[in-house]
Amino acid sequence: MSEPQQTRRLTIWDPWVRIVHWAIVVLFAVSVASGLAHRLELHFASGYALLALVLFRIAWGIVGSDTARFATFLRGPRAVLRSLAGFLHRSPDRTAGHGAAGGWSVAALLLLLLAQAGSGLFADDAIFTRGPLARQVPPWVSDLATSLHVRLWMALAALVALHILAVLLYAAVRRTDLIGPMVTGRKRVDADTPPPAMGSPWLAAALMIAAAAAVWAISRLG
């Protein structure tokens, strides 16, 4: 009989990934609710904040911590299929960071959020409000952006629901808590797993300031 695999707890998510993750959760809910209620000032404010966080997260996915980098968790089709096939194994998932399938889910969410917030910059409903860049493009571009902005949130909501379902299934089938590590940053992994390198907090702060400044400058154009 083989001995049970030794494990240890490691920090796998840096504070920036965790803060941005939960802030996006809140801001997406606020954006949807304020849009449906026609609370446009709140809708714009939450949209600008959401865009700044998404821009930061994309930049952090290039130069940030090991587990935050797209190069670490975006893998080819075979790895995705192996990840999906291994989902039904009842042993806990002790990988550090995103799995192959989950990694593409994260990328899709970020791209859709970028498209949603970005389209809002060019949108013009010709009644109540206009995005800050709507006058900088031809009317047909603004009309297309408006149409995308109205419809993309439903695709985002569906992907968010799928994401939540996957988290619940991981807890039920593989006895793996994915929420706790995104709160504390720490996860139980195999003992031979090397600790992931954390990104520079000074670089993260600089990127966050740059993203916020860029979005603020865009907002002033309107």
Side-chain angles (χ1 to χ4, degrees), residues 36-60:
L36 294 175
H38 299 289
R39 297 282 301 277
L40 298 181
E41 289 188 7
L42 179 58
H43 188 69
F44 268 89
S46 62
Y48 289 141
L50 193 59
L51 179 59
L53 291 178
V54 171
L55 290 175
F56 165 80
R57 182 62 185 87
I58 290 173
W60 197 238

Side-chain angles (χ1 to χ4, degrees), residues 97-143:
H98 296 297
W104 283 106
S105 174
V106 170
L109 278 167
L110 288 174
L111 287 175
L112 278 177
L113 284 167
L114 181 63
Q116 177 71 9
S119 63
L121 299 176
F122 298 92
D124 182 0
D125 65 5
I127 302 174
F128 294 110
T129 188
R130 177 187 295 118
L133 300 181
R135 290 182 175 178
Q136 314 299 323
V137 296
W140 70 268
V141 174
S142 182
D143 290 343

Side-chain angles (χ1 to χ4, degrees), residues 15-213:
W16 299 93
V17 168
R18 289 180 279 134
I19 291 170
V20 168
H21 173 88
W22 294 113
I24 285 177
V25 170
V26 173
L27 286 170
F28 177 68
V30 171
S31 294
V32 171
S34 59
L36 294 175
H38 299 289
R39 297 282 301 277
L40 298 181
E41 289 188 7
L42 179 58
H43 188 69
F44 268 89
S46 62
Y48 289 141
L50 193 59
L51 179 59
L53 291 178
V54 171
L55 290 175
F56 165 80
R57 182 62 185 87
I58 290 173
W60 197 238
I62 299 172
V63 299
S65 303
D66 283 352
T67 49
R69 295 194 182 201
F70 301 122
T72 302
F73 61 78
L74 293 184
R75 305 186 185 98
R78 290 185 178 179
V80 173
L81 290 175
R82 284 197 301 268
S83 176
L84 292 173
F87 175 77
L88 295 178
H89 294 171
R90 299 191 65 83
S91 58
D93 176 15
R94 295 200 175 104
T95 58
H98 296 297
W104 283 106
S105 174
V106 170
L109 278 167
L110 288 174
L111 287 175
L112 278 177
L113 284 167
L114 181 63
Q116 177 71 9
S119 63
L121 299 176
F122 298 92
D124 182 0
D125 65 5
I127 302 174
F128 294 110
T129 188
R130 177 187 295 118
L133 300 181
R135 290 182 175 178
Q136 314 299 323
V137 296
W140 70 268
V141 174
S142 182
D143 290 343
L144 177 61
T146 304
S147 178
L148 286 174
H149 193 70
V150 169
R151 290 170 173 79
L152 274 179
W153 76 268
M154 292 181 285
L156 260 169
L159 191 54
V160 167
L162 184 62
H163 190 74
I164 294 172
L165 177 61
V167 170
L168 296 176
L169 287 175
Y170 259 86
V173 177
R174 302 202 64 180
R175 305 189 300 280
T176 299
D177 176 19
L178 298 180
I179 297 177
M182 194 54 70
V183 174
T184 66
R186 296 176 64 80
K187 181 183 178 183
R188 185 165 295 282
V189 299
D190 292 338
D192 56 356
T193 301
M198 296 290 109
S200 164
W202 298 107
L203 176 59
L207 290 174
M208 185 67 80
I209 292 171

